[in-house]
Amino acid sequence: PQRAEVLDYLFKPGFGASLHILKVEIGGDSQSTDGTESSHMHMESVVDFTRGYEWWLMKEAKSRNPNIKLYGLPWAFPGWVSNTTTNPYVDPERLANYTVTWVEGARSVHGLFIDYLGIWNERQSNAAYVIALRRMLDERGFSETQIVVADGGLGICNDLLQDLGYSQASDILGFHYPNADDGSWPTCSKLSHQSSKPLWASEESSSYDDLNGAGCWSRVLNAHFVLHNITASIMWNLVGSYYHGTNWYASSLMTAVEPWSGHYTVGPVVWATAHLTQFSQPGWQYLPVGKGSGQFAKGGYFVALVDPESGNFTLNAEKISEEHAYCTRPGLPKEDVIPVSAENVTFTLAESMGALPIHFAVWRSNFQKDMPVVFERYADIILTGTRSFQLFIDVGDVITVSSILSATKGAHGQRPFSVPEFPLPFETDFESVPIAQGGLRWADQIGVFEVHEESGPLAPESESEPKKKVLRQMVPQTPIGWSDHGTKGPVSVIGNLEWQDITISASFKIPEQSSSTSTKITNAACVAVRVDQMWSQGVVLCYAKDGEWTLAIGGPWINKTYPESGIYAQGKATPLAPTEWVQLTLEVSEGKATATANGKTLVSNAEIRATEFGFAAIGANTWFPLQVDHVGITRAEGSSWEPAECQTPAKAGDQVSVGPCPRNVRGEAFAWELMSTWQLRHVASGLCAQAKSLEVGSRVVLADCARSADQARKLQEFWNDYSTIRNNLRPLAAGGVHNGDLKLTGNVNGTLQLAKQVSSDSWSRWAYFPNTEQLRNQYHVIESLGYPSCLRACT
């Protein structure tokens, strides 16, 4: 039921975000930020429109809002498209056929019409391909599908101005995170005016879904139109349903990352969206700047929209201050440096807006107050004897005034409590998973793993014999990637990034080497623990068809052997028969690892790095149809999974320090909340970290959390990039100064102070781990700092 509730908050009209458009990835078998998505054509000769979840998602969106628009965009392509790893445009006709085949499958198999189609996410466009795509869409009955170019920077505008055929084949100019100060705007405005092509922010925000994310989103929705006539903004992404430890965690409208508990969040970004989407529809028109839209004298933007058919009217105003208006990218435009302050504003309706009386609903949010207001309805405005009304617009406000009176703040009642720890033990044989879908809880990062019936010698062949399901790696060659083109072998991860002491077991069926394979590397299956997203670190056991095995640091490189410096142990065991399955088990606890194959010990208590942490994983050393079954994951025997509690309760005045992060789990002494006010709140005590002064060398103590008007507030503000600090190391700037040089700095001796420079045994960059609420000095392993340290409030 929680999944249906999440979908309601996204797509149900007049309920939550009430989205007008859904943009989906056309899977390309390669990493596209936080995972890979299956292509409908892993090979040119095999087409399958049941793979992946995007078909299901589009149908769910349409079932709630039949009028929602659908938009498809590739991030990557299967390697066969051009038989290169970098350029999909070698054969424009072949590529166009691949893309249009996806559009055809959407209609013929799923009953979905694709309204908009992109080229290649944030990569170079190509005139010959766009022209071929337009022609092929028209020939196959999709003349109403519009092409968006180029889902990237503004440089595309100059290309279109110089190539009439290219321009005529393109319908919409789509930019990602458009920078208002970009020097290409005059060219894009000229092109848009000459060709009547709409301007879109076809990817925007990428910001964490807290109050600051809502402030960012509210600002850009209005500023984009006022500054550059952008009439659509599409948030990346809709739902953060991917593990912390993969890129851009929770940079989304909503977060739903605990399928085992059913917990999800409905944050303020949903309601920032509702301020526009519940009060307008596609086809409404923005009123021009100076005639209904514009910038306030004391900062902030307002837009007005009207429905040409019904005459309905909506005014949306925002006044987000500079310190809370930052999105992840780009920087604030020069126009936004106007200091924002509260003001009374009078709006007057033209006679063309209709006769009096006129009835408006008023909805307000304030994303900056100590007690935020989130999408609340205020007293209606009813104009009887005058055509003017006045609004007091405070700093942090988002206010909607609309003749649409049916908006609601939808709710599904109490949600399940959060249980961020991945539940162990975990076992799966994939039998309950539908064919062509990914394994339950698994997150593919290189290659694609799908559930299929077992294949190969001794697999049941008659219809009367039951065929068991297995998880199979499906990508046959290096894809044309968006980010990683296939540096390392295929891998799928699972669990919590904080894991350290884990046992994983899995059974593998490794096919015979293809006769066409030129490499001398023998096919191998792998199990791993303590790996990061792309398994560049961790403890990895790989077992080859010929019995060669390796215990090493990180995953295997495609068609390469490990360097000697990265090998913990290696050897030769029994080669596998053509039909044989091999069960690999890897147990890692602190600085020791033990590995077995079919119950026989390969290595016992091998010395390994004790500082690593990360996911459990399964994988392979190259592109082949590895089959996986019967995976089990448990806590390593005898390992420490006890939470680190405070020996004495934390109290005001206690010194904040750093100490070794708890192994595997959350610890009360180390649990902090990153507040949207830039304060660091110790969860157990409810107290905030406070610098004794804003000077180099100042220590940090616990204190009552200060309100915005309190003098102590600046001592408690540690500015950070609130989105990327969950995905990488970022500074915490004291005094709430954006990119300030006085930073919260830890030392391996356990001390914490403010500093402008760091030594070899100290650090001023931190990563936030939301599952355990820890501020760590390592997101990936940094050997020079030793075992990871965390911000600590008590002993």
Side-chain angles (χ1 to χ4, degrees):
Q2 288 82 30
R3 186 169 68 173
E5 292 172 8
V6 169
L7 294 168
D8 284 348
Y9 282 112
L10 292 174
F11 303 121
K12 187 176 179 181
F15 186 83
S18 305
L19 296 174
H20 298 165
I21 187 169
L22 170 61
K23 184 177 181 180
V24 302
E25 177 177 349
I26 302 175
D29 290 345
S30 187
Q31 175 62 235
S32 57
T33 299
D34 42 61
T36 61
E37 293 197 29
S38 287
S39 170
H40 57 291
M41 297 172 72
H42 298 310
M43 298 179 288
E44 189 171 16
S45 59
V46 180
V47 182
D48 188 337
F49 297 116
T50 65
R51 297 170 181 153
Y53 64 86
E54 302 286 14
W55 309 112
W56 165 84
L57 182 62
M58 287 189 282
K59 287 188 287 189
E60 290 289 337
K62 279 287 189 181
S63 72
R64 287 165 173 79
N65 178 8
N67 296 319
I68 195 168
K69 304 294 185 180
L70 300 178
Y71 180 164
L73 173 68
W75 263 249
F77 303 91
W80 63 261
V81 166
S82 68
N83 287 320
T84 75
T85 60
T86 59
N87 181 13
Y89 303 124
V90 170
D91 186 340
E93 294 290 324
R94 194 180 199 188
L95 180 60
N97 179 68
Y98 167 81
T99 306
V100 176
T101 297
W102 182 85
V103 176
E104 286 179 326
R107 183 172 67 179
S108 63
V109 176
H110 299 284
L112 299 167
F113 182 80
I114 304 301
D115 300 280
Y116 309 108
L117 199 57
I119 307 305
W120 187 13
N121 183 67
E122 296 175 353
R123 296 295 180 265
Q124 185 177 1
S125 183
N126 179 273
Y129 168 61
V130 172
I131 292 169
L133 180 62
R134 176 73 275 160
R135 175 180 46 76
M136 203 171 291
L137 285 168
D138 294 345
E139 290 172 350
R140 297 195 194 176
F142 299 101
S143 60
E144 294 184 9
T145 296
Q146 295 183 281
I147 295 177
V148 182
V149 293
D151 278 291
L154 276 67
I156 187 66
C157 300
N158 188 60
D159 295 341
L160 297 186
L161 278 174
Q162 296 183 32
D163 188 330
L164 181 61
Y166 195 1
S167 180
Q168 290 176 336
S170 309
D171 300 289
I172 297 166
L173 302 175
F175 311 126
H176 285 197
Y177 313 96
N179 188 338
D181 298 328
D182 193 305
S184 296
W185 275 115
T187 302
C188 293
S189 298
K190 176 182 177 181
L191 175 63
S192 176
H193 178 74
Q194 289 181 351
S195 61
S196 299
K197 298 184 194 301
L199 302 173
W200 285 9
S202 55
E203 183 175 314
E204 187 52 88
S205 182
S206 288
S207 299
Y208 184 65
D209 57 359
D210 67 356
L211 291 164
N212 287 319
C216 146
W217 186 229
S218 299
R219 179 187 64 81
V220 299
L221 287 174
N222 285 0
H224 275 337
F225 177 76
V226 173
L227 297 178
H228 292 297
N229 205 37
I230 291 174
T231 56
S233 295
I234 301 175
M235 172 171 280
W236 187 91
N237 57 70
L238 294 192
V239 187
S241 291
Y242 41 96
Y243 292 124
H244 173 250
T246 59
N247 287 326
W248 296 98
Y249 175 80
S251 298
S252 44
L253 267 176
M254 299 177 65
T255 300
V257 73
E258 299 176 23
W260 48 86
S261 72
H263 176 76
Y264 61 92
T265 62
V266 185
V269 183
V270 168
W271 306 113
T273 307
H275 269 286
L276 273 172
T277 55
Q278 289 204 30
F279 302 96
S280 62
Q281 290 296 325
W284 283 41
Q285 295 178 358
Y286 280 90
L287 296 184
V289 173
K291 297 181 179 181
S293 302
Q295 186 173 18
F296 293 118
K298 296 184 178 181
Y301 298 95
F302 62 97
V303 296
L305 301 99
V306 294
D307 180 6
E309 295 185 2
S310 69
N312 277 315
F313 166 85
T314 292
L315 170 74
N316 184 263
E318 64 79 23
K319 192 177 280 287
I320 307 297
S321 66
E322 182 179 357
E323 64 268 26
H324 294 281
Y326 286 96
C327 299
T328 299
R329 52 190 170 177
L332 293 178
K334 295 174 183 176
E335 289 85 348
D336 272 6
V337 299
I338 297 174
V340 173
S341 58
E343 61 183 309
N344 285 299
V345 182
T346 299
F347 296 90
T348 302
L349 302 182
E351 294 292 335
S352 59
M353 294 298 295
L356 300 177
I358 299 176
H359 187 177
F360 292 136
V362 179
W363 289 77
R364 175 177 178 258
S365 296
N366 189 293
F367 300 128
Q368 294 184 220
K369 295 293 187 184
D370 289 321
M371 297 294 291
V373 177
V374 180
F375 200 61
E376 299 292 340
R377 186 164 183 172
Y378 281 60
D380 290 2
I381 295 173
I382 302 176
L383 300 179
T384 54
T386 177
R387 303 188 70 84
S388 298
F389 62 91
Q390 189 175 77
L391 293 178
F392 173 72
I393 308 176
D394 202 356
V395 176
D397 270 352
V398 179
I399 298 176
T400 301
V401 178
S402 179
S403 58
I404 301 294
L405 308 179
S406 57
T408 64
K409 187 175 183 179
H412 275 302
Q414 183 66 43
R415 295 186 291 277
F417 291 108
S418 174
V419 183
E421 298 84 6
F422 187 99
L424 292 176
F426 171 81
E427 293 183 356
T428 182
D429 60 6
F430 307 107
E431 292 299 328
S432 64
V433 181
I435 294 293
Q437 298 301 300
L440 191 65
R441 310 282 188 266
W442 293 93
D444 303 345
Q445 301 303 318
I446 304 174
V448 167
F449 293 79
E450 296 173 359
V451 172
H452 291 279
E453 293 178 338
E454 181 188 3
S455 65
L458 294 191
E461 294 183 358
S462 70
E463 294 185 3
S464 61
E465 292 181 88
K467 294 184 179 181
K468 71 175 182 178
K469 292 180 179 178
V470 298
L471 190 67
R472 186 186 307 155
Q473 201 290 118
M474 301 298 294
V475 180
Q477 67 185 97
T478 302
I480 303 168
W482 176 71
S483 55
D484 184 279
H485 295 268
T487 307
K488 294 205 167 190
V491 66
S492 190
V493 304
I494 194 169
N496 289 143
L497 187 63
E498 292 88 339
W499 279 358
Q500 292 179 285
D501 305 317
I502 290 290
T503 299
I504 181 171
S505 176
S507 294
F508 298 96
K509 191 175 186 179
I510 306 172
E512 294 294 318
Q513 209 84 3
S514 171
S515 59
S516 62
T517 303
S518 59
T519 177
K520 296 180 180 180
I521 302 296
T522 305
N523 291 347
C526 309
V527 291
V529 298
R530 300 183 183 177
V531 300
D532 57 3
Q533 180 178 0
M534 305 299 286
W535 64 344
S536 61
Q537 67 179 49
V539 185
V540 181
L541 170 67
C542 292
Y543 193 100
K545 187 76 172 178
D546 61 6
E548 296 277 356
W549 61 268
T550 306
L551 185 70
I553 298 172
W557 283 264
I558 290 285
N559 297 329
K560 293 182 181 179
T561 58
Y562 280 102
E564 284 193 22
S565 60
I567 297 175
Y568 290 125
Q570 59 185 335
K572 175 82 172 182
T574 306
L576 299 175
T579 62
E580 187 176 2
W581 284 79
V582 60
Q583 183 187 52
L584 301 181
T585 301
L586 175 63
E587 180 177 78
V588 172
S589 182
E590 297 192 357
K592 304 289 185 180
T594 296
T596 67
N598 288 335
K600 295 181 180 180
T601 300
L602 300 175
V603 64
S604 179
N605 290 322
E607 298 252 347
I608 59 171
R609 296 195 301 193
T611 57
E612 291 183 314
F613 50 88
F615 302 109
I618 54 174
N621 66 335
T622 190
W623 310 109
F624 67 91
L626 176 70
Q627 297 182 85
V628 190
D629 204 2
H630 299 295
V631 182
I633 304 171
T634 63
R635 299 177 178 183
E637 187 175 350
S639 60
S640 173
W641 286 72
E642 294 300 318
E645 308 293 350
C646 293
Q647 295 178 4
T648 57
K651 61 184 184 304
D654 285 354
Q655 191 157 289
V656 181
S657 61
V658 296
C661 300
R663 299 190 68 82
N664 305 298
V665 295
R666 182 183 185 274
E668 179 182 294
F670 301 88
W672 298 84
E673 177 189 358
L674 292 188
M675 301 176 69
S676 61
T677 55
W678 315 122
Q679 291 165 289
L680 308 177
R681 188 181 73 88
H682 179 233
V683 176
S685 67
L687 300 171
C688 284
Q690 178 175 308
K692 289 187 174 183
S693 70
L694 294 179
E695 298 177 354
V696 172
S698 174
R699 296 301 177 92
V700 179
V701 297
L702 292 175
D704 291 332
C705 295
R707 297 174 66 86
S708 57
D710 296 341
Q711 289 185 345
R713 177 63 169 265
K714 283 296 179 185
L715 297 174
Q716 295 183 4
E717 292 181 353
F718 296 91
W719 188 91
N720 59 86
D721 186 321
Y722 62 98
S723 297
T724 61
I725 196 170
R726 290 164 173 81
N727 302 282
N728 218 318
L729 295 174
R730 294 291 182 262
L732 293 163
V737 179
H738 177 58
N739 288 331
D741 60 358
L742 188 61
K743 300 178 177 66
L744 192 66
T745 303
N747 191 285
V748 293
N749 65 14
T751 59
L752 182 76
Q753 61 183 1
L754 303 186
K756 292 185 177 181
Q757 296 180 332
V758 297
S759 58
S760 60
D761 56 357
S762 64
W763 64 90
S764 62
R765 292 158 63 84
W766 308 78
Y768 187 67
F769 282 51
N771 292 327
T772 51
E773 299 177 297
Q774 295 169 356
L775 271 165
R776 292 187 168 212
N777 70 342
Q778 299 178 48
Y779 184 74
H780 301 282
V781 170
I782 302 176
E783 291 188 70
S784 63
L785 292 177
Y787 186 84
S789 292
C790 285
L791 194 68
R792 179 169 62 186
C794 54
T795 59

